[in-house]
Amino acid sequence: MKTLRTLPAAVTSIAVASPAQMPADRACIQPLGVKRLLLACLLSVCLFLASPVPSQAGELAAAWPTLAHPRESRIDEVGGQIRINGTPMRIVRVQATLPVDALASHYRQVLGQPHAESQAGGAQVLAQGRGNFFITVTLQQLPDGGSEALVAVADSHGARAAAGRPLGLDIPAGTTLLSDMESTDGGIASRQFVLANAHSLRVNLDRLSATLARRGLHPESPPVTGKDGALLQHFGGTSGQAQLVLMRHENQTHAVLTLLSRQP
């Protein structure tokens, strides 16, 4: 069984403890752009849910749309097969030497008309519906003078098919599910939940540990304490591995729970 360090960037947990506060072989990965990627993915889902849903049966089997990217740019497919809040998505990260305005011009031309444009969290977003799919391009300037585009394509038919499915996890009463992200990449399946509730760190740790125990996952060592009392706990077992990060702020606890298993 591979360790949590092998998670693809799209599903890596948000680290709250510094490497010095954690065992050297279990330090969380926090690749450049992970938080920005998650925000862009969630933004794509929100825009997708607000868009009209096509009803033509012939569109259900349509091929996933692709976009032409600038020449001499670095293209990274993120996370293999991804679902965010039940919505199947394909995500590509593009790093270009072009300034962000030139990169935006490129994707305006590639998308064609009609498409929508907006600003979100300091990023420029282009959006377009194509049949059964919804495309978003999230653009940001990079410190080195280049730019980055996160191109996300969401599948409305797959989202409808996944509606109402159980989480497969018992969460504490009064908990809000902020996001549910799944990825299968290289035979490794990962699912990450972001939760929020008013319970203490200890109550969350105890209750989420209990539900993981029912899945055959148990703490591998005592929890690690990070800044501001945040907790990090690793779990292991024959069914896979898990990582739980708990953060307390303004009388609310946020939990980031990542489950990892090998696909048959």
Side-chain angles (χ1 to χ4, degrees):
M1 178 66 64
K2 295 186 178 181
T3 71
L4 288 168
R5 290 176 296 166
T6 63
L7 281 172
V11 293
T12 305
S13 298
I14 302 169
V16 295
S18 68
Q21 295 169 310
M22 301 165 58
D25 64 336
R26 300 309 296 259
C28 295
I29 307 172
Q30 193 171 17
L32 178 64
V34 169
K35 291 182 181 178
R36 186 162 66 247
L37 173 62
L38 292 174
L39 289 172
C41 292
L42 293 174
L43 173 64
S44 300
V45 172
C46 291
L47 291 172
F48 157 71
L49 292 176
S51 66
V53 177
S55 58
Q56 293 89 338
E59 293 176 342
L60 299 184
W64 286 75
T66 58
L67 300 184
H69 305 299
R71 294 182 179 179
E72 299 182 0
S73 57
R74 176 177 174 178
I75 312 297
D76 295 313
E77 293 188 5
V78 179
Q81 301 174 30
I82 296 176
R83 281 184 183 268
I84 300 178
N85 296 342
T87 301
M89 301 189 72
R90 293 187 178 181
I91 301 170
V92 174
R93 181 181 181 182
V94 181
Q95 290 181 294
T97 57
L98 302 171
V100 69
D101 290 345
L103 190 61
S105 296
H106 169 86
Y107 284 109
R108 286 191 192 100
Q109 183 176 2
V110 168
L111 288 172
Q113 293 295 341
H115 70 264
E117 297 193 27
S118 62
Q119 295 286 329
Q124 186 174 359
V125 182
L126 311 180
Q128 183 184 68
R130 288 193 185 180
N132 205 52
F133 299 92
F134 191 76
I135 303 169
T136 56
V137 181
T138 305
L139 302 144
Q140 284 196 327
Q141 187 75 45
L142 296 178
D144 62 3
S147 55
E148 177 184 79
L150 293 171
V151 180
V153 182
D155 175 10
S156 65
H157 173 57
R160 293 195 299 273
R165 64 186 181 138
L167 293 180
L169 186 75
D170 295 326
I171 59 179
T175 295
T176 300
L177 176 65
L178 300 180
S179 73
D180 174 7
M181 186 171 181
E182 297 174 79
S183 175
T184 302
D185 193 17
I188 302 297
S190 177
R191 190 168 184 181
Q192 184 180 83
F193 301 96
V194 181
L195 312 168
N197 58 48
H199 302 305
S200 67
L201 293 175
R202 177 52 59 179
V203 167
N204 275 280
L205 180 60
D206 291 345
R207 295 185 183 177
L208 292 172
S209 294
T211 192
L212 290 174
R214 290 192 287 273
R215 299 170 65 107
L217 299 173
H218 303 279
E220 295 184 333
S221 60
V224 177
T225 302
K227 296 179 181 178
D228 302 321
L231 295 177
L232 168 66
Q233 178 70 70
H234 292 284
F235 301 81
T238 56
S239 63
Q241 293 187 329
Q243 178 176 271
L244 175 63
V245 178
L246 295 170
M247 298 158 280
R248 184 77 175 169
H249 180 65
E250 295 184 351
N251 298 319
Q252 190 163 55
T253 297
H254 285 80
V256 181
L257 175 61
T258 306
L259 304 173
L260 181 69
S261 62
R262 183 179 296 278
Q263 292 290 89

